[in-house]
Amino acid sequence: MFTFRLLTATAITLGLQCIQPVYAEKVTHTPHQYDGKKTASNPHKHHASSHQHQKDKIELGKALFFDARLSYPQTQSCSSCHNPNHAFVDNRPNTRHGMVSEGADGKSFGNRNAPTAMYGAWNIPFSYDENRQTYKGGTFWDGRAKDMAEQAGQPPLNPVEMQMPDKASIINRLAENEYYQAQFKKIYGDDIWTNTDKAYDAMGDAIMAYEHTPEFAPFDSKYDRYLRGEYELTPLEDLGRTLFFSNNNVNCKTCHSLKPEDSEGEIFTNFEYHNIGVPANLELIALNQLGADYKDNGLLDNPKVNGDIKQKGKYKTPTLRNIAVTGPYMHNGVFKDLRTVILFYDHFNHPMRKINPETGKPWGEPEVPDTVNYTDLKANVLNDRKVDALVAFLKTLTDARYEHLLEEKK
């Protein structure tokens, strides 16, 4: 991974001569398309022009995604915490055992696990669902960014992540590069460099364009291939699929689906915010020296909830695509193994599931007990075979590019 990042940074320094353009391919399920203004006199010319515009934006976004100059010491890029060779999560070893990411200075750490950047094109704006009586949408664990463009602009300015002092410092760095100078003007207008905020927004917009390409959403897992008649599920995988989608068993689909059972293009999240009783990560709290009384507020930290205390301890429901290769799990990385996650859910209903297999001790109490959603956690008890079946099914959500990681984890 580090060699890849160094090579990419070198390419950018040399004017991006060795970075190949990334073209938006036709994808059946993609919800985002370039929305340009029609040219009445020659619609074919407009189509070619807008298509080229989008290709240029994607190429620019890819260059920015891998550019370490977005961090103060120029040691970290977006790809550091979202490695394309590992389902766009942070698989770097660090002193926090991968529970959270290491900052650009090599010694700073956040308090939340970096989620995958994959399938983010289907994200929805932050809003309140009156029907379900819950917030949904936005990006980050607490929904504080409205979309992936805004999300892309936050890590460079975060003091424990990429650690740049301000937007101007970043834009001035980018403006020193001839490729960026030319491409920003070509895509966003000749005056783009005269306004720091607009240039910074353009940076995020370009990164989002790259993150919305099929590279981030191939829909080619075993499950996708099963839906297309190209793969036959094993008996264990098929049992897991039945359990997952059944309302009478484990209730997974309530929060982890948007479409009817076995629909193509399912993202496996409804983007809602819930407190599912995740315990505090005591190891991380100790390593980060946060204090024994530390509590992560979750959604309550989002200013859009206006200090509503009922949102404390709630987090955005993540996609389950590639879940088997994107641990550690939960917002704080408290669980290392996917099977442990299933057992954790089951312990709310199963009187014999008293011990966390990773610690050998009883499950920790919920970090924020007052807002736990026990209604949606209610489910039938699972025996060991059903636990194994759910894990087997979740592994089928691994994109083909990452299936070798499943073998490496054995």
Side-chain angles (χ1 to χ4, degrees), residues 152-172:
Q154 293 198 21
L157 300 172
N158 192 310
V160 298
E161 294 186 55
M162 300 169 90
Q163 303 170 335
M164 290 294 283
D166 49 47
K167 293 179 181 180
S169 301
I170 298 170
I171 295 307
N172 289 339

Side-chain angles (χ1 to χ4, degrees), residues 279-298:
N281 189 336
L282 300 181
E283 180 184 11
L284 180 62
I285 288 172
L287 288 169
N288 280 1
Q289 300 179 338
L290 297 171
D293 59 347
Y294 171 80
K295 304 287 183 188
D296 189 331
N297 288 327

